[in-house]
């Protein structure tokens, strides 16, 4: 059979790089970067260039499965839907709609259709027990945008290709790319800042791979970013670098903001951050004197204990310095239609969990409450759970408690391509698709919110049909909705029309001529964005360039907040700062000598789902390591390669030590996503030796950040001791 070549784009991360894929029938023979792609221009990372390893993984499940005790066996789709539907109807009848829960994970969220179907299924079930990865990595940004700009999807991004000064907090684009911004080939783009005479400064407890490639390193103690930012903003006022005229014209709350940060002197922050007062003042001077500048924060600050206040202060710095809505500063995204305006009321329907009376956010509950929502007795405790392309057992908090909770469920349905740790506890496994088997358009943040220095759009057909009985997730959800008697979006008319469409598609002759539903919906989206139908988009296999987002296109024109002005001092965030900062500062000051744990992403790893590929776990990569500064290792009496115990009040793990002066003293880093020894469905990953860092992350209402519901994964206080020393002490007793 002859080889054919198709273009597509990757959906592993937010770069969404263009790819050329060579096919021999239904087999991928080669993947290379698309040199003609309008945005990535021939760049792609190692994970994107080997995605066929995940698609063709020997452990991939290609038929519905049912678990009886410890044994799994194949069943038909009809049997799966009938049995699941019957159990769901029984649970809703006996215990109410909220006895069912849904969890939505990655990487399927990079396909814009799937969040829509997830929401529709949840509304059909009538449950409020929805959980997503947002409370694990980014809800704080949505919260700040809602209260500052009037919509959770009014999101800003740094104008990388034109700015002169970029200060990045908790970010490592070389490995993790960049969150909330589409930036293929990030290291090259960042090096260009320096090439044109600008500067890049990394504020991080660890000298990252990006910091080794470019820019300047400024070490900061974990989970103290909020104090650095408060002092940075105060110093901005002190140095006269605030554009008061622009703020008066387009913003509200400047005086209240100035009063809030007035106690946070450069000297005060130095006591907990490790950044001297003089260093901070010099950073502010460089930022304030640049022609165009931006502060950018990623998961390093999001996953601290004060992520919402920290990100709010960061956005305020960009705003009051005159860099918001400025070419070479921080730009407000603009998608193919006004998604920010369409989502202004996304958080209007507020409800509270019975666990700690915790508030919902954007229609979901914090994932760190999932275990308690299952385990704590009550009429509306979760008894049945759908997990769609997720692995909360490894990616959420307090993993051992989560395992106990999953084991107690009366019904657990997993929709995925591999049977991961969470799916081990499932009663039914429904095989979905790999992204190469779905038609698609770029990620919601890019298509709808426009977080792109170089805006683009692309439609890709499915490259290959799914193997065996694997089915598109939108089809799976439609069938679940029908059999659970939970019409999508609660609309019997909509569900009925979909059912009729499905029957028509099965008719001889007619069915082959009907456009599949995912393609019809993607076509509607592209037409709504005035980009034409799919036929027009197919004529541009390398994507189409969209008009650039320029400065002076947002303030006074698109602001959705009160009076059409940016809110610098929203009451919710001011109150949150007043309630938390003083106490958190004192805690940081008193715990200055203790170890603080941060997470770390690795080049050959991605969350919890790449370790079943032998190519990614060769040699020393078959486990994660606890990285530690040489001085700290010496104090512990531990050597490189030895095992140590890492513990706190939540749990303990035994990890292998890796001594590195890339860490700030007092900081230890343990890559997340490991701990596969119990995953019988992952024949390669279960033989690795890594440990699960999230065993040490606290769950429950007292452990999360208020309002946003964010979990804390960075800056966790831990104790460390050498297991060799502990054994010697025990033998000597």
């Amino acid at each position: 059979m002859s080889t054919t070549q198709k273009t597509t784009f990757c959906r592993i991360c937010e770069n969404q790089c263009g790819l050329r894929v060579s096919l021999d029938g239904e087999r991928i023979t080669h993947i290379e970067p698309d040199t003609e792609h309008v945005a990535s221009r021939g760049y792609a990372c190692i994970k994107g260039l080997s995605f066929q390893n995940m698609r063709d993984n020997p452990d991939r499940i290609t038929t519905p499965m049912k678990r009886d005790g410890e044994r799994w066996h194949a069943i038909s789709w009809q049997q799966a839907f009938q049995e699941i539907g019957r159990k769901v109807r029984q649970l809703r009848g006996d215990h109410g709609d909220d006895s069912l829960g849904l969890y939505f994970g990655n990487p399927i969220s990079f396909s814009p259709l799937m969040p829509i179907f997830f929401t529709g299924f949840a509304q059909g079930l009538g449950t409020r027990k929805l959980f997503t990865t947002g409370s694990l990595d980014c809800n704080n940004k949505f919260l700040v945008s809602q209260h500052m700009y009037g919509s959770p999807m009014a999101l800003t991004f740094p104008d990388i290709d034109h700015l002169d000064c970029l200060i990045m907090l908790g970010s490592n684009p070389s490995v993790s790319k960049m969150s909330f911004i589409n930036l293929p080939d990030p290291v090259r783009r960042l090096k260009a800042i320096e090439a044109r005479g600008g500067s890049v400064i990394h504020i991080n407890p660890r000298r990252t791979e990006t910091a080794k490639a470019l820019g300047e390193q400024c070490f900061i103690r974990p989970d103290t970013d909020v104090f650095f930012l408060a002092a940075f903003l105060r110093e901005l006022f002190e140095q006269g670098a605030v554009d008061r005229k622009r703020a008066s014209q387009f913003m509200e709350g400047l005086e209240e903001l100035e009063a809030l940060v007035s106690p946070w002197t450069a000297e005060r922050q130095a006591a907990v951050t490790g950044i001297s007062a003089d260093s901070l003042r010099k950073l502010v001077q460089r930022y304030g004197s640049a022609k165009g500048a931006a502060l950018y924060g990623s998961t390093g600050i999001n996953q601290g204990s004060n992520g919402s206040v920290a990100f709010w202060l960061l956005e305020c710095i960009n705003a009051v310095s005159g860099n918001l809505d400025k070419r070479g500063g921080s730009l407000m995204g603009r998608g193919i239609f006004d998604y920010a305006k369409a989502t202004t009321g996304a958080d209007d329907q507020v409800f509270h969990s019975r666990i700690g009376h915790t508030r919902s956010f954007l229609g979901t509950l914090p994932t760190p409450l999932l275990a308690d929502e299952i385990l704590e007795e009550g009429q509306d405790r979760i008894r049945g759970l759908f997990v769609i392309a997720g692995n909360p057992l490894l990616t959420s908090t307090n993993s051992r408690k989560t395992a106990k909770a999953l084991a107690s469920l009366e019904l657990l349905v997993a929709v995925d391509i591999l049977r991961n740790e969470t799916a081990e506890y499932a009663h039914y496994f429904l095989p979905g698709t790999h992204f190469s088997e779905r038609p698609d358009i770029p990620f919601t943040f890019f298509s709808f919110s426009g977080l792109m220095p170089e805006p683009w759009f692309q439609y890709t057909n499915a490259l290959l049909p799914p193997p065996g009985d694997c089915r598109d997730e939108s089809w799976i959800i439609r069938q679940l909705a029908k059999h659970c008697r939970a019409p999508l979006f609660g609309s019997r008319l909509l569900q009925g029309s979909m059912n009729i469409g499905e029957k028509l598609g099965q008719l001889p002759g007619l069915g082959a001529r009907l456009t599949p539903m995912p393609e019809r919906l993607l076509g509607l989206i592209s037409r709504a964005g005035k980009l034409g139908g799919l036929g027009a988009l197919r004529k541009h296999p390398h994507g189409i360039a969209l008009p650039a987002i320029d400065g002076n296109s947002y303030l006074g024109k698109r602001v959705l907040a009160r009076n059409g002005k940016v809110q610098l001092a929203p009451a919710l965030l001011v109150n949150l700062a007043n309630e938390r900062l003083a106490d958190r500062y004192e805690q940081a000051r008193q715990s200055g000598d203790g170890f603080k744990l941060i997470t770390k992403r690795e080049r050959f790893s991605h969350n919890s789902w790449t370790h079943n590929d032998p190519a990614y776990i060769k040699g020393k990569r078959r486990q994660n390591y606890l990285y530690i500064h040489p001085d700290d290792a010496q104090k512990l009496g531990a050597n490189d390669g030895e095992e140590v115990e890492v513990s706190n009040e939540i749990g303990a793990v035994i990890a292998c030590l890796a001594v590195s002066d890339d860490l700030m003293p007092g900081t230890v880093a343990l890559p997340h996503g490991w701990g596969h020894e119990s995953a019988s469905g992952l024949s390669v990953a279960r033989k690795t030796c890594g440990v699960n860092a999230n065993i040490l992350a606290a769950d429950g209402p007292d452990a999360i950040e208020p309002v946003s519901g964010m979990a804390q994964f960075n800056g966790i206080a831990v104790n460390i001791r050498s297991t060799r020393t502990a054994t010697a002490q025990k033998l000597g007793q």
Side-chain angles (χ1 to χ4, degrees), residues 139-154:
N139 268 1
N140 62 312
K141 290 191 172 184
F142 299 137
L143 177 76
V144 170
S145 290
Q146 178 182 7
H147 288 271
M148 282 189 72
Y149 307 125
S151 170
M153 296 302 162

Side-chain angles (χ1 to χ4, degrees), residues 203-235:
I203 312 293
N204 205 300
R206 183 175 73 89
R207 185 184 293 106
T208 65
E209 290 81 356
T210 312
K212 293 177 183 179
L214 62 102
E216 306 167 35
Q217 173 72 31
C218 181
F219 286 109
I220 186 171
R221 288 177 184 152
D223 200 28
T224 63
D225 312 84
V226 69
F227 310 116
F228 166 81
L229 290 164
F232 193 108
L233 182 51
R234 181 189 188 277
E235 191 61 31

Side-chain angles (χ1 to χ4, degrees), residues 347-413:
D347 196 43
D348 286 351
Q349 300 297 318
V350 174
F351 55 94
H352 293 81
S353 169
R354 65 197 181 92
I355 309 300
H357 196 63
T358 305
R359 183 193 191 277
S360 67
F361 180 60
L362 299 182
T364 67
L365 291 173
T367 296
L369 301 188
L370 175 60
D372 284 335
E373 281 281 5
I374 296 171
L375 292 171
E376 288 206 12
E377 291 296 333
Q379 175 64 13
D380 66 342
R381 75 177 180 88
I382 295 175
R383 291 170 165 83
L385 181 68
F386 292 87
V387 176
I388 302 172
N391 192 7
L393 179 58
L394 282 196
T395 58
S396 187
T397 49
N398 199 341
S399 299
R400 287 174 177 155
K401 183 176 177 182
T402 301
K404 179 182 177 183
L406 295 176
S408 73
L409 288 166
E410 295 182 41
L411 174 68
L412 175 56
V413 179

Side-chain angles (χ1 to χ4, degrees), residues 462-480:
L463 300 180
L464 297 156
D469 283 334
C470 295
R471 295 295 184 92
D472 180 272
E473 285 81 356
S474 64
W475 178 85
I476 294 173
I477 289 179
R478 295 200 308 273
Q479 300 308 309
L480 287 171

Side-chain angles (χ1 to χ4, degrees), residues 513-687:
R513 295 196 299 271
L514 291 177
T515 303
M517 179 174 290
E519 293 182 29
R520 292 203 303 272
L521 293 175
L522 293 172
L524 288 173
I525 291 172
S526 65
R527 289 183 184 277
K530 300 180 180 180
L531 297 172
L534 299 188
L537 291 173
R538 287 189 179 103
K539 296 177 182 178
H540 301 276
H542 311 288
I544 56 175
L546 301 178
I549 301 171
D550 209 343
N552 301 315
S553 65
Y554 173 66
L555 295 175
K557 300 171 184 175
R558 293 190 285 135
V559 181
L560 298 166
R562 184 182 60 194
N563 299 330
K565 292 189 174 185
V566 172
Q567 301 299 301
L568 296 173
L572 180 140
L573 293 169
V574 170
N575 292 338
L576 192 62
N578 287 330
E579 290 169 3
R580 291 173 67 85
L581 291 193
D583 287 345
R584 296 284 171 165
Y585 177 85
E586 189 58 28
Q587 291 176 19
R589 194 180 64 81
Q590 292 181 1
S591 64
D593 294 334
F595 284 110
K596 292 294 181 67
L597 175 72
I598 62 173
T599 59
K600 177 182 181 295
R601 180 172 281 170
E602 301 164 300
R603 182 183 175 216
F604 290 92
S605 182
H606 195 86
N607 297 340
S608 69
W609 47 270
T610 55
H611 301 139
N612 209 52
D613 183 346
Y616 292 156
I617 57 165
K618 292 179 179 178
K620 295 185 68 176
R621 297 200 302 266
R622 65 189 298 270
Q623 68 183 90
N624 56 349
Y625 297 85
L626 183 75
Y627 294 87
I628 190 170
H629 190 274
D631 292 349
D632 291 330
Q634 185 177 22
K635 291 177 184 177
L636 290 172
N639 299 316
D640 188 80
E642 290 185 355
E643 289 187 339
V644 295
E645 181 188 68
V646 189
S647 65
N648 60 11
E649 66 277 8
I650 308 303
V653 297
I654 303 295
C656 189
L657 212 61
V659 178
S660 170
D661 60 6
D662 290 335
L663 273 294
M664 185 181 189
T667 300
V668 292
L670 185 62
H672 64 277
W674 291 84
H676 305 288
E677 64 277 359
S678 63
S680 64
L682 305 176
S683 62
V684 175
R686 70 178 306 187
K687 296 176 183 177

